[in-house]
Amino acid sequence: MTDNPAAPSAPRQWLKAFYSALAAALGYVIVELIFQHDTTYILAGALGILVVLTPIFYAINRHSSRRTPKR
């Protein structure tokens, strides 16, 4: 038996990154709806957050999955 579990696949890491970015975008939408800003700008901002944060979270997930596992 090996001590190193298999690293998560790239599609799984992208999905995890997308979910994290989606959570951030939804938080943004909730705050903007509370302040009653224009819906078009809210959706554009949320889409921008999703597009920008997904690759950033993917890079973070990929980097953290390469570290040595905890025992």
Side-chain angles (χ1 to χ4, degrees):
M1 232 169 32
T2 61
D3 287 345
N4 289 340
S9 64
R12 181 172 293 275
Q13 287 179 342
W14 275 110
L15 187 63
K16 185 177 176 183
F18 176 75
Y19 286 156
S20 298
L22 186 62
L26 287 176
Y28 169 79
V29 168
I30 290 169
V31 169
E32 290 298 316
L33 286 175
I34 289 171
F35 290 117
Q36 299 177 350
H37 290 145
D38 187 27
T39 308
T40 305
Y41 294 114
I42 293 173
L43 293 178
L47 182 62
I49 289 172
L50 194 62
V51 168
V52 169
L53 287 183
T54 300
I56 293 171
F57 286 145
Y58 173 74
I60 292 170
N61 289 341
R62 202 171 115 207
H63 176 72
S64 65
S65 70
R66 290 182 180 178
R67 293 191 310 196
T68 57
K70 297 178 182 177
R71 292 183 182 204

